[in-house]
Amino acid sequence: MAELANCKRCHGLFHKHVSEVCPDCFDQENREFQKLFRRLQASRDEGGILIDDLAQEVGIPVAAIEAYYHDSRLGTAGIFLKFKCRECGAIVDEKGRKGRFCINCSEKVSTIAGVEVKSRQSIQREDEKMQEASRNMDLLNQPARQAPQTRRTGKAGFIRYR
């Protein structure tokens, strides 16, 4: 059963089924996203496009484009998106950044803050080691298995288990 709700975009009243926006706004968002996606794919020949320039060209806020990027809606076209480091202003792609900073500034900021920066792979390796150690401890804490009790029957040496 559909309930009445206000559209998150235009604040109009509509029958909410799945989406948080009304059907008109949903169609508008899809058209905007298609425009964004096409422009991002076209930037392949240019070596990518800065997120601020893309937002200005297609008329979509940077925050919305970042949300599409983090939700993985951009798919393979996301590799053509370039970001500006918030610290030094260097333009980097997704491989050359950590959060809002380039890798160099990320390391500088983290050492100033006294925080250790780890790569995703090193964190995954540590998690795997911890899980392996936990499994080994579980095995050590299990009671020793006892061999099943057997008895011989007189018929051709068959063994019967209890």
Side-chain angles (χ1 to χ4, degrees):
M1 179 195 258
E3 63 182 70
L4 288 176
N6 287 333
C7 175
K8 296 283 183 190
R9 191 167 177 181
C10 71
H11 306 292
L13 196 61
F14 74 105
H15 288 285
K16 179 180 174 184
H17 293 282
V18 177
S19 178
E20 297 288 326
V21 294
C22 67
D24 295 333
C25 290
F26 184 78
D27 292 340
Q28 179 66 25
E29 280 184 0
N30 279 338
R31 284 191 296 275
E32 289 174 354
F33 179 78
Q34 290 300 320
K35 184 178 176 183
L36 166 78
F37 192 78
R38 279 191 226 108
R39 176 59 185 109
L40 196 52
Q41 284 181 321
S43 73
R44 176 182 62 204
D45 299 333
E46 305 159 12
I49 187 169
L50 187 63
I51 192 169
D52 298 329
D53 297 339
L54 180 64
Q56 194 172 29
E57 282 184 33
V58 296
I60 298 175
V62 172
I65 297 172
E66 285 178 343
Y68 289 143
Y69 177 77
H70 291 299
D71 292 342
S72 299
R73 277 192 70 188
L74 298 177
T76 56
I79 62 173
F80 305 119
L81 199 55
K82 304 244 185 233
F83 301 89
K84 187 180 281 189
C85 175
R86 302 285 189 220
E87 184 71 19
C88 68
I91 296 175
V92 293
D93 60 2
E94 69 178 71
K95 293 178 186 172
R97 73 184 196 119
K98 287 187 178 181
R100 297 174 182 250
F101 303 106
C102 67
I103 293 175
N104 293 333
C105 290
S106 174
E107 291 173 0
K108 288 177 192 172
V109 169
S110 63
T111 51
I112 291 170
V115 178
E116 182 182 355
V117 177
K118 296 181 180 179
S119 69
R120 182 174 288 150
Q121 291 84 9
S122 67
I123 293 171
Q124 287 173 343
R125 275 185 253 128
E126 287 178 11
D127 286 346
E128 290 169 0
K129 287 179 184 176
M130 291 297 289
Q131 289 174 354
E132 182 67 26
S134 176
R135 274 188 246 125
N136 290 340
M137 289 302 293
D138 289 344
L139 289 174
L140 290 174
N141 291 333
Q142 287 181 354
R145 293 185 181 176
Q146 295 178 354
Q149 296 178 358
T150 62
R151 72 175 183 165
R152 281 196 167 274
T153 63
K155 301 179 182 174
F158 288 105
I159 298 174
R160 177 184 286 167
Y161 294 98
R162 290 186 197 170

